[in-house]
């Protein structure tokens, strides 16, 4: 409800002042209106922390929380609420009022580069976690910005692609989390997606932003564009987009004033959009905030503890033959092997990146726990997508032209060649759309032999070693799949180097022609390629140990915004590495860190597998806690793991279904994504949705359904007959036995995270409201229950259903 004060402020503004609040002033903030005492609203990226106003790399340090899919694996809305509340404190430490989070798009495919940032393939699980996260954030007067609204389930040509989705699938699957975020959590902000929805950009889609969001759901907050994701003036404002981001204004400002004067946008519409902005400022305290902008790196002990606990809560035990896990503290020598052993893979890539307070690798955590003398280490192989970034004292000279001419306008020193230029930079002394830069430093190899340099850039670039150009992305630059599809693919060059010798490395860069996002960035790296001898050495190390733990997977280079995966095989030679280690040591444990499923050709040959995702800055400690049983492997799969890439729902011969063709991606599978697809097609997955093992066992009794005034209550006793405490997730699925329309065999409609002591039994009650039995009837524009029989099933995964009950439902049209 808009207060009299906000109405008076809106009416006291000139048209120009009103319009000024409908665009960003800069990358992260709205302008203040000093004449009326209106403060400045600031936003910051999320969702696994709060980066602040810095670049995607570097900047003020922040706490790195588990990524979305790890929270999804927890199946724990209460934990999501805790994380949201903690991240609200992080947002405040960065002087901001709005978090650009959570990300709730659905796992339609297994290759979406941003699946790591999203919760699940299931809309009900995603919705419940979103509600918890939003409530946590907003309980501390920090606004959530639930995103990306809607149909952004792929990173391929996402700024122009039209997601072709029929309304029933939208209402039942892709809009579900947004609906609950509005109706149940009362989110204060929504971010429109880059893509078109059924032909119209979401930022100017009136059906989506006004008819559904505001009229159907009663949303009273702010809709902002994704960064550079609005493309018009009158169309976006009239459709319901409050805020064009980032600033300065591109299609608003003077253009919007002119549109009002020309009559294509009414003053009443401008006033309504401004009132939403003022309400958001009032809700977050920004309206009256007069303190100077400051950012702090608050490394809080309570956040450390929460991140560590949440990391374990999302870790999924996929296999545990003969009870190999948990390991005993008295275990003998342990071989620590793999490319993710000494590298802490804590987050995915893209706008969710931040500069963490610290990173705990698995090796460091295990060395701290057991002592380094108990460990033997071998890397075995690499898994990088791009050459490891060149680090050192690197001098950067900036030029106020695109030709590196004249004297530098600004000079600074950086620690690595990973540059992402967000204005203002270079002391504000260059035009961010017309500048050049020269990076200069040295590289000293620690071993002689072949080395590989690599570079990619959003802009023109060249790399020189001792004055010789070995990579040319200046004359031959072409657009690829890096830097949000604004950069080239990596180009590499091999060169033989001598250990201990300092080589002069120089990079020349000039910003290129503006594209969709107008980015300027580059990344350069170098490494010594590994080969057969390194895999053999890893196997030898494993043979000398009692137990071998292989840390494999991907990283934020692969699981990243702006680029989908090409398949779900482990990158590089990691499958060979696992096979070699398993052959050398029968007590081999594989710890996976990925943002989604991978094929596992070695699965039958290893006794234990853990899926640890990207669990935040406490990664190594959280993994160690699970390995040694200090914490339960509390996670259950929020996404089905297929046996083969071709088994997944979007693997089709028709490229328009995925990855898209001629600017369209057609959601032909409709409702049948995730476990619904595997049920429909009769395909056995490698690991089903909701699956996960515990360090104890669980049983459940018969299912009883009791009717109450709000629907039905599912009652079921769950027992832990084991000798140690543990946790599980009870899952309730509903299927319509006699539907007149095509419906999935079963759909998740309720769940509960349960912790039970050894020998404990407890009755679990899960509400099933009428919506749990309904489908969206496009002929009447409402959710509808058809009269007939429904089967309600309970169990511990989509394929492990232990008990069921039938219920007859009457015809019902839902509001």
């Amino acid at each position: 409800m808009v207060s009299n004060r906000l109405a008076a402020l809106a009416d006291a503004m000139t048209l120009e002042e009103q319009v000024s609040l409908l665009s960003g002033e800069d990358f992260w903030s709205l302008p203040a209106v000093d004449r009326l005492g209106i403060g400045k609203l600031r936003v910051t990226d999320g969702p696994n922390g709060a980066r602040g106003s810095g670049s995607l790399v570097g900047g003020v340090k922040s706490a790195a929380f588990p990524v979305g899919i790890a929270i999804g694996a927890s199946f724990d809305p209460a934990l999501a609420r805790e994380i949201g509340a903690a991240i609200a404190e992080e947002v405040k430490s960065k002087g901001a009022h709005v978090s650009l989070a959570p990300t709730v798009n659905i796992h339609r495919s297994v290759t979406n580069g941003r699946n790591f940032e999203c919760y699940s393939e299931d809309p009900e699980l995603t919705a419940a976690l979103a509600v918890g996260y939003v409530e946590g954030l907003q309980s501390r007067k920090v606004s959530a910005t639930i995103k990306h609204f809607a149909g952004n389930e792929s990173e391929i040509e996402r700024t122009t692609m039209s997601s072709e989705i029929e309304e029933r699938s939208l209402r039942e699957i892709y809009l579900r989390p947004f609906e609950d975020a509005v109706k149940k959590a009362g989110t204060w902000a929504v971010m429109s997606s880059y893509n078109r929805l059924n032909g119209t950009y979401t930022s100017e889609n009136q059906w989506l932003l006004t008819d559904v969001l505001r009229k159907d759901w009663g949303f009273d907050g702010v809709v902002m564009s994704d960064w550079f994701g609005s493309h018009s003036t009158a169309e976006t404002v009239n459709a319901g987009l409050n805020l064009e981001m980032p600033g300065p204004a591109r299609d608003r400002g003077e253009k919007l004033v002119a549109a009002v004067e020309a009559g294509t946008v009414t003053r009443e519409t401008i006033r309504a959009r401004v009132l939403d902005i003022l309400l958001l400022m009032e809700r977050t305290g920004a309206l009256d905030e007069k303190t100077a902008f400051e950012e702090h790196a608050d490394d809080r002990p309570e956040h450390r503890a929460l991140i560590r606990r949440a990391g374990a809560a999302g870790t999924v035990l996929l296999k545990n033959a003969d009870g190999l896990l948990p390991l005993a503290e008295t275990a003998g020598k342990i071989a620590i092997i793999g490319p993710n052993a000494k590298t802490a893979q804590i987050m995915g890539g893209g706008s969710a990146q931040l500069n963490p307070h610290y990173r705990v690798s698995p090796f460091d955590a295990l060395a701290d726990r057991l002592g380094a003398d108990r460990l033997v280490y071998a890397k075995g192989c690499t898994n990088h997508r791009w050459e490891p970034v060149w680090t050192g004292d690197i001098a950067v000279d900036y030029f106020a032209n695109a030709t590196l001419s004249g004297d530098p306008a600004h000079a600074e020193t950086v620690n690595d060649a990973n540059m992402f230029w967000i204005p203002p930079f270079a002391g504000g002394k260059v035009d961010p759309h017309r500048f050049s830069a020269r990076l200069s430093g040295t590289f000293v190899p620690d071993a002689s032999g072949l080395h590989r340099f690599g570079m990619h850039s959003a802009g023109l670039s060249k790399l020189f070693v001792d004055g010789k150009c070995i990579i040319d992305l200046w004359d031959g630059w072409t657009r690829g799949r890096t830097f949000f599809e604004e950069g080239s693919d990596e180009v590499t060059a091999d060169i033989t180097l001598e250990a201990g010798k300092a080589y002069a490395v120089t990079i020349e860069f000039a910003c290129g022609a503006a594209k969709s996002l107008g980015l300027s960035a580059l990344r350069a790296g170098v490494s010594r390629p590994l080969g057969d001898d390194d895999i053999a050495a890893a196997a030898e190390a494993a043979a000398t140990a009692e137990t071998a733990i292989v840390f494999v997977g991907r990283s934020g280079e692969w699981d990243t915004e702006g680029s989908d995966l090409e398949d779900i095989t482990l990158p590089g030679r990691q499958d060979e590495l696992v096979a070699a280690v398993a052959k050398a040591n029968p007590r081999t444990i594989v710890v996976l860190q990925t943002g989604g499923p991978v094929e596992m050709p070695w699965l039958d040959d290893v006794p234990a597998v853990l899926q640890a995702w990207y669990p935040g800055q406490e990664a190594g400690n959280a993994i160690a806690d699970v390995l040694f049983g200090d914490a339960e492997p509390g996670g259950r799969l929020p996404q089905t793991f297929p046996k083969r890439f071709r088994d997944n729902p979007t693997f089709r011969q028709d490229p328009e279904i995925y990855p898209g063709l001629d600017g369209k991606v057609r959601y032909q599978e409709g409702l049948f994504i995730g476990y619904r697809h595997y049920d429909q097609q009769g395909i056995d997955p490698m690991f089903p949705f909701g699956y996960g093992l515990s360090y104890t066992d669980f049983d459940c009794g018969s299912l009883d359904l009791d009717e109450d005034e709000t629907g039905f209550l599912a009652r079921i006793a769950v027992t832990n007959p084991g000798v140690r405490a543990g946790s599980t997730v009870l899952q309730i699925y509903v299927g319509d036995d006699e539907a007149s329309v095509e419906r999935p065999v079963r759909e998740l409609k309720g769940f509960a995270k349960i912790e039970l002591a050894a020998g404990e039994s407890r009755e679990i009650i899960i509400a099933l409201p009428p919506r749990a039995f309904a489908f969206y009837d496009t002929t009447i524009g409402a959710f509808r229950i058809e009269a007939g029989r429904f089967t309600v099933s309970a169990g511990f995964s989509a394929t492990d259903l232990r008990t069921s009950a039938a219920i007859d439902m009457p015809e019902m049209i839902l509001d």
Side-chain angles (χ1 to χ4, degrees), residues 730-742:
L730 179 67
Q731 300 160 43
I732 305 293
Y733 294 82
V734 175
D736 186 342
D737 298 352
E738 304 167 350
S740 66
V741 296
E742 191 173 37

Side-chain angles (χ1 to χ4, degrees), residues 323-324 327-328 331-332 545-549 581-582 584-589 606-608:
L324 177 56
L327 295 172
E546 179 177 318
T547 303
I549 310 177
V581 171
N585 190 322
R587 287 172 52 87
T588 293
I589 301 160
V606 299

Side-chain angles (χ1 to χ4, degrees), residues 317-325 548-552 570 574-592 599-610 686-687 693:
L317 180 59
L318 297 175
K319 185 177 180 181
N320 193 23
D322 301 321
L324 177 56
L325 292 174
I549 310 177
V550 190
F551 295 90
V552 291
L570 284 172
Q574 293 180 97
D575 284 333
E576 293 177 63
L577 176 64
V578 173
V581 171
K583 185 176 182 180
N585 190 322
R587 287 172 52 87
T588 293
I589 301 160
V590 176
V591 177
L592 286 167
E599 294 176 354
M600 304 181 199
W602 34 260
L603 182 62
D604 291 341
D605 301 321
V606 299
V609 182
L610 277 177
M686 179 162 54
F687 297 110
L693 302 175

Side-chain angles (χ1 to χ4, degrees), residues 239-272:
L241 188 80
N242 297 88
L243 181 58
E244 173 198 63
M245 287 300 287
R250 300 175 308 282
D251 295 309
R252 298 198 172 179
E254 293 180 358
K255 292 180 181 179
L256 184 50
V257 171
V260 173
E261 292 173 344
T264 56
V265 179
T266 67
R267 287 181 178 267
E268 289 75 16
T269 298
I270 296 293
R271 183 178 185 275

